[in-house]
Amino acid sequence: MTDLGAGSSFGARLDAALTARGSLCVGIDPHPGLLTAWGLPVDVSGLERFALTVVSALAGEVAALKPQSAFFERFGSAGIAVLERTVAAGRELGALVVLDVKRGDIGSTMDAYAAAYLGPAAAVAADAITVSPYLGVGALNPAFAAASAGGQGVFVLARTSNPEGVPLQQARLADGRAVAQAVVDEVGARNAGAAPLGSFGVVVGATIGASGLDLAGLNGPFLVPGVGAQGGTADDVRRIFGGARRAVLPATSREVLGRGPDVTALRGAARRKVEEFAFLRA
Amino acid sequence: MTDLGAGSSFGARLDAALTARGSLCVGIDPHPGLLTAWGLPVDVSGLERFALTVVSALAGEVAALKPQSAFFERFGSAGIAVLERTVAAGRELGALVVLDVKRGDIGSTMDAYAAAYLGPAAAVAADAITVSPYLGVGALNPAFAAASAGGQGVFVLARTSNPEGVPLQQARLADGRAVAQAVVDEVGARNAGAAPLGSFGVVVGATIGASGLDLAGLNGPFLVPGVGAQGGTADDVRRIFGGARRAVLPATSREVLGRGPDVTALRGAARRKVEEFAFLRA
């Protein structure tokens, strides 16, 4: 088990993990088609077999795992019980676990979301979570505060790959900046002075094209879904992130998971993706 | 038990409920301060006592109940099990249950969120859910489709009361519209031709001031949090919603819940709020 620096900030732990294991996050997305392809029933027992197989195959290998909450919520409280075990097992076996929940609210409700996933006493304690900024990055402050207290991280949606998101994410604020740019700037302000890397990141899709986003000031990690089967390539990542590439965490799912349930095949697919992105830390 | 028209669309059922019971949604927000004020422990047993007391006091009285998922997620899978019981009991006792989850994602992940909460086979089947449009209203189509199939509704965040949300929600799209206006317009397009009321609504805060939003074309319900202890008044609601007032669902929480755990006091507080908003259906 690689020592990922437990006890220090998420930014420091992620930086160490990227150096030790290479730049890859594998999404745990147990959608019905994948369960069926693995010969598993589309129920909570299939969900558990799938998620724990991915964890046992990959949590000792890759920098990060990213369970997608929706696929667990789909099975209600029994699915969340599997999510709890998945997150705990992933961390125990040495991966950073980024829980993809995309929560976002205000006031005491945001406090409750933070308490659910962040801080030392969280119900489902991940290394980091994703959040959504429609109510403003400032409304997410309880998540940033709880994450800091627990040595955890937060990734804020900024610019996604799906075409339906473009009009909103490129809308202009009163000061002329695009919405996505303002998200990057507000998150970056919360990373000021952090070394080697801030703990607050943004989500930027791998296939966003020429977005005009200035990513240089983030001083935090970029979570980049959509590489592999969803169309994003290593060249896309190189082009989009340029000088900030050392803090990039490409996330893939189907291209690796589709090789399961064979553990050796899963590991082989993950290692090939790690190789593909080796340039990020070169 | 009032017949709220089970079997028909959410819009029709909500319209009937507003007529039969008056215009009020009571939020079920079991935050730690409220549990303590009720003499309950801040744990999953206190959560369950609180939520089921609110349901038994009010589900036969008010048009809608709105459990806030964050306060249940805070207790992990055990909290979600309480949420399942709360939603089921609320519907069984005759209230429409709007589950406040503010989910939002894309593709197969959005399909999974829809399967979790909407459609006939949902794990936690509510009458309606709230969703967040940072990834675009179009990305939420799986929720609209599942809701239609199940006679359920969807409320999309449009313009919230918190100051941190203003810059993004008032940002301008390429066509000059504000982000919040585009959300209202896109949801309204999905309600075209529905009678007496579409099943797809928007969330608009009660204290938004002069927002410049044109709400006349929605043909669907407005969920209006923030009335009562959070500062919104009946006059605010009258001013903001004008001619669309018949489809307004004001949501209050602390002002009613703070009167518990006494069931008679809870009912009395809810009835006073219903009276305050009687003008909406006059």
Side-chain angles (χ1 to χ4, degrees):
Chain A
M1 179 171 146
T2 310
D3 181 2
L4 299 176
S8 47
S9 74
F10 175 73
R13 293 191 293 134
L14 177 61
D15 187 66
L18 294 172
T19 298
R21 295 182 166 194
S23 304
L24 188 68
C25 176
V26 176
I28 304 181
D29 295 357
H31 58 75
L34 264 173
L35 295 180
T36 302
W38 279 37
L40 294 169
V42 181
D43 62 18
V44 74
S45 75
L47 176 79
E48 177 153 32
R49 279 283 296 283
F50 182 95
L52 295 183
T53 300
V54 176
V55 166
S56 68
L58 300 179
E61 302 277 330
V62 299
L65 293 172
K66 182 172 74 66
Q68 172 49 258
S69 184
F71 296 107
F72 297 83
E73 292 178 47
R74 181 165 179 270
F75 296 103
S77 56
I80 299 301
V82 173
L83 180 63
E84 290 166 350
R85 291 194 282 279
T86 302
V87 171
R91 299 184 80 184
E92 178 65 28
L93 292 173
L96 294 171
V97 176
V98 179
L99 180 55
D100 200 350
V101 286
K102 297 188 177 67
R103 301 298 193 259
D105 215 298
I106 62 173
S108 65
T109 304
M110 197 62 218
D111 290 340
Y113 279 130
Y117 303 107
L118 298 167
V124 189
D127 291 291
I129 65 170
T130 59
V131 295
S132 180
Y134 191 82
L135 304 175
V137 172
L140 306 170
N141 279 340
F144 298 122
S148 292
Q152 294 152 305
V154 176
F155 288 94
V156 186
L157 291 176
R159 182 73 165 77
T160 58
S161 292
N162 66 307
E164 309 90 343
V166 173
L168 183 153
Q169 294 165 23
Q170 292 196 333
R172 296 286 159 179
L173 274 65
D175 64 13
R177 287 178 301 165
V179 163
Q181 184 66 55
V183 170
V184 173
D185 295 347
E186 289 193 61
V187 175
R190 288 165 172 79
N191 286 325
L197 189 65
S199 295
F200 307 127
V202 293
V203 179
V204 175
T207 57
I208 61 170
S211 66
L213 274 183
D214 178 359
L215 303 172
L218 181 68
N219 189 32
F222 298 91
L223 179 64
V224 187
V227 305
Q230 289 164 271
T233 66
D235 282 345
D236 289 325
V237 171
R238 192 181 275 111
R239 174 179 53 74
I240 297 168
F241 295 97
R245 68 187 193 187
R246 288 183 59 81
V248 170
L249 185 60
T252 190
S253 174
R254 274 170 273 177
E255 193 170 341
V256 171
L257 301 183
R259 302 300 299 272
D262 184 81
V263 165
T264 307
L266 284 167
R267 286 183 183 150
R271 282 176 192 150
R272 283 190 294 280
K273 293 307 285 183
V274 168
E275 276 308 301
E276 212 174 294
F277 289 102
F279 72 90
L280 290 168
R281 303 291 289 186
Chain B
M1 179 170 146
T2 310
D3 180 3
L4 299 176
S8 47
S9 75
F10 175 72
R13 294 190 293 132
L14 177 61
D15 187 65
L18 294 173
T19 297
R21 296 182 165 194
S23 304
L24 188 66
C25 177
V26 176
I28 304 181
D29 296 355
H31 56 75
L34 265 173
L35 294 180
T36 302
W38 280 37
L40 295 169
V42 182
D43 63 18
V44 76
S45 75
L47 176 78
E48 177 153 32
R49 279 282 297 283
F50 183 96
L52 295 183
T53 300
V54 176
V55 166
S56 67
L58 300 179
E61 302 276 332
V62 299
L65 293 172
K66 182 172 74 66
Q68 172 49 256
S69 184
F71 296 107
F72 297 82
E73 292 178 46
R74 181 165 179 270
F75 296 103
S77 56
I80 299 301
V82 173
L83 180 63
E84 290 167 350
R85 291 194 281 279
T86 301
V87 171
R91 301 183 79 183
E92 177 65 28
L93 293 172
L96 294 171
V97 176
V98 179
L99 180 54
D100 199 351
V101 287
K102 296 188 177 68
R103 301 298 193 257
D105 215 298
I106 62 173
S108 66
T109 304
M110 197 61 218
D111 290 341
Y113 278 131
Y117 304 108
L118 299 167
V124 189
D127 290 290
I129 64 168
T130 59
V131 295
S132 181
Y134 191 82
L135 304 176
V137 172
L140 305 170
N141 279 340
F144 299 122
S148 292
Q152 295 152 304
V154 176
F155 288 94
V156 186
L157 290 177
R159 182 71 166 79
T160 59
S161 293
N162 66 307
E164 308 91 345
V166 173
L168 183 151
Q169 294 164 24
Q170 292 196 332
R172 296 286 158 181
L173 274 66
D175 64 12
R177 287 179 302 166
V179 162
Q181 185 65 55
V183 169
V184 172
D185 296 347
E186 289 192 63
V187 176
R190 289 164 170 80
N191 287 325
L197 189 65
S199 295
F200 307 128
V202 293
V203 179
V204 176
T207 57
I208 62 170
S211 66
L213 274 183
D214 178 359
L215 303 172
L218 181 68
N219 189 31
F222 298 91
L223 179 63
V224 186
V227 306
Q230 289 163 272
T233 67
D235 281 345
D236 288 324
V237 171
R238 192 181 277 111
R239 174 179 52 75
I240 297 167
F241 296 96
R245 67 188 193 187
R246 286 184 60 80
V248 170
L249 185 59
T252 190
S253 174
R254 276 170 273 178
E255 194 170 343
V256 171
L257 301 183
R259 302 301 298 273
D262 184 81
V263 166
T264 307
L266 283 167
R267 286 183 182 150
R271 282 175 192 152
R272 283 191 294 280
K273 293 307 286 184
V274 169
E275 275 308 301
E276 210 175 293
F277 289 102
F279 71 91
L280 290 168
R281 303 292 287 187

